Amino acid sequence: MSTTQSERLRELLEPLVTSQGLDLEEIDVASVGRRRVLRVVVDSDTGADLDRVADVSRALSAKLDETDAMGAGEYTLEVGTPGAERALTEHRHYVRALDRLVRFQLREGGELVARILGVDEEGLDLEVPGVKGRRPTTRRLAFPDVDKARVQVEFNRKNKNDDAANAENEEEA
């Protein structure tokens, strides 16, 4: 039997989110002044666009209205996606971060910033960027060696599709 409000809410809402083709990533109930805010974070392997988030928000709101899961007081429901610099805590998060730059806090201490090239059940294949003109290197990192991991935002990265398009344009010219 679940004991916390977040666990009870997860049991109530997760089947509904799953039926919409999404994963329930996080539930947080917070007090903001005199109001309470229920934040629900959803995602999927293909992402969650605004329409899907709106659909699941309406479904969750209806379910919460028909139960007393949030109690008698007023609250605000906020449904969203994890955001650009999401923490990676589940295997599926690493799979979704394939080809993304990630900052790892290592269990043994220290930090590593690398791009995820591959993910399997035991760990990750990474590309560590070269320093001072050196070539990038590859490295294997087992999941038990990772304390924390967070996706990094990249503003200047060339997209692989852009490289392919540029190559086609050069061939045509």
Side-chain angles (χ1 to χ4, degrees):
M1 177 94 190
S2 61
T3 56
T4 68
Q5 183 179 26
S6 291
E7 289 172 338
R8 287 190 301 273
L9 286 167
R10 179 172 287 279
E11 287 177 6
L12 177 69
L13 302 178
E14 192 160 31
L16 203 61
V17 172
T18 302
S19 74
Q20 301 278 330
L22 298 169
D23 295 317
L24 179 58
E25 298 293 350
E26 185 179 327
I27 290 180
D28 180 47
V29 180
S31 294
V32 180
R34 293 183 178 175
R35 295 181 348 176
R36 291 179 305 147
V37 178
L38 170 58
R39 290 186 182 95
V40 178
V41 178
V42 298
D43 201 7
S44 79
D45 290 343
T46 58
D49 64 18
L50 189 57
D51 291 334
R52 288 179 80 186
V53 171
D55 289 344
V56 79
S57 180
R58 283 189 288 275
L60 295 178
S61 180
K63 184 69 163 181
L64 290 165
D65 286 348
E66 71 185 37
T67 68
D68 66 345
M70 287 298 293
E74 290 185 23
Y75 67 93
T76 301
L77 172 63
E78 295 179 359
V79 180
T81 58
E85 289 190 356
R86 73 168 308 150
L88 305 178
T89 58
E90 303 282 335
H91 186 270
R92 69 177 178 265
H93 298 164
Y94 289 97
V95 171
R96 291 174 186 162
L98 199 60
D99 202 41
R100 299 286 308 272
L101 196 64
V102 175
R103 180 176 306 275
F104 297 93
Q105 298 292 323
L106 305 176
R107 287 218 191 274
E108 68 209 24
E111 185 175 274
L112 172 68
V113 176
R115 186 168 313 285
I116 298 177
L117 299 177
V119 182
D120 60 32
E121 295 304 315
E122 287 81 39
L124 307 159
D125 293 317
L126 305 174
E127 179 184 72
V128 181
V131 179
K132 296 183 181 180
R134 293 194 174 129
R135 291 191 177 278
T137 58
T138 57
R139 176 176 175 179
R140 178 77 179 165
L141 185 61
F143 286 122
D145 296 336
V146 177
D147 190 35
K148 294 180 184 175
R150 184 171 297 277
V151 171
Q152 301 297 288
V153 174
E154 295 180 86
F155 294 107
N156 297 324
R157 180 163 187 242
K158 281 188 173 182
N159 187 336
K160 287 183 179 182
N161 295 335
D162 292 343
D163 291 340
N166 289 339
E168 284 180 24
N169 290 338
E170 288 175 9
E171 287 177 13
E172 291 175 4

